Amino acid sequence: MATLIIYMTSHGCAEKAAGMIHNLIQGEVTQINLENFETPPLEKFDTVIIGGSIRIGSIQKKIRKFCEKNIDQLLAKKTGLFICCMFEGDTAIEQFNKAFPEPLRKNSIATGLFGGELEFEKMNAFERMIIKQVANISVDVSKFNEQAVKAFAEKLHITHITPSPHHLMTP
């Protein structure tokens, strides 16, 4: 069974989530950051997991366009969707719903809200200033939820095993 994990990240949280999922997946796995690579042909994969981070209320444009462009193929596959964001509850759900097309959300067998992280050393000066002014936060904050990632993997009937051939595409 071949699985594709496709994601984008702003400061590393969605990449962290993708890596955790990667480590929990049984079988052949390809992990791709859309920022650096184009997607391989989807025919090669039985399962497609798509995720990204929410920034200023929206998921990365390339993730949204990937979903829209490939919606028909994705609806024919086993899919999982996730976001990383600093909000919880209804706001996180609204951001998730905005991130992915409704047919894809309804068809997915696993969805995840994994929390988020603010790491000031990974931000540029403008981002730090905005976070300090808008959220009144000036220190690193982590709301990353590893249990939510594990529950997501369980929904996909994935178990933690010694990894078989994995492919991580990095620049």
Side-chain angles (χ1 to χ4, degrees):
M1 188 164 172
T3 300
L4 172 64
I5 302 172
I6 188 159
Y7 71 96
M8 286 190 73
T9 193
S10 295
H11 295 109
C13 192
E15 183 171 46
K16 180 178 180 177
M20 281 187 67
I21 295 165
H22 187 156
N23 290 333
L24 295 168
I25 293 177
Q26 183 176 358
E28 185 179 336
V29 180
T30 301
Q31 180 178 329
I32 294 178
N33 181 341
L34 263 187
E35 183 68 28
N36 304 315
F37 294 96
E38 293 299 317
T39 325
L42 294 179
E43 304 83 53
K44 295 179 176 184
F45 304 98
D46 306 297
T47 303
V48 179
I49 299 167
I50 306 165
S53 55
I54 301 297
R55 197 162 169 218
I56 314 170
S58 297
I59 200 161
Q60 290 88 350
K61 188 176 182 179
K62 280 187 176 182
I63 290 288
R64 193 174 61 254
K65 291 201 177 271
F66 169 81
C67 291
E68 292 167 359
K69 178 183 173 190
N70 296 290
I71 190 77
D72 291 336
Q73 288 182 70
L74 292 169
L75 290 174
K77 298 194 177 291
K78 186 175 170 183
T79 57
L81 307 171
F82 74 87
I83 62 167
C84 291
C85 70
M86 291 301 290
F87 290 104
E88 298 169 332
D90 291 341
T91 304
I93 293 168
E94 287 174 26
Q95 290 181 335
F96 180 87
N97 290 340
K98 184 180 171 187
F100 300 106
E102 183 178 3
L104 190 55
R105 292 191 320 263
K106 287 184 175 182
N107 189 62
S108 292
I109 62 170
T111 58
L113 305 172
F114 298 157
E117 295 180 327
L118 294 174
E119 297 181 77
F120 280 83
E121 70 275 359
K122 293 182 179 179
M123 296 179 197
N124 64 40
F126 180 72
E127 291 169 322
R128 286 190 299 271
M129 181 187 72
I130 295 295
I131 295 294
K132 287 177 184 178
Q133 287 180 350
V134 173
N136 197 26
I137 297 172
S138 58
V139 295
D140 290 355
V141 176
S142 180
K143 294 184 178 181
F144 186 73
N145 187 337
E146 289 186 16
Q147 287 307 113
V149 177
K150 291 175 184 175
F152 176 87
E154 288 174 16
K155 286 179 193 171
L156 287 166
H157 304 291
I158 297 169
T159 57
H160 183 65
I161 62 162
T162 304
S164 52
H166 289 326
H167 308 285
L168 176 60
M169 299 182 83
T170 55

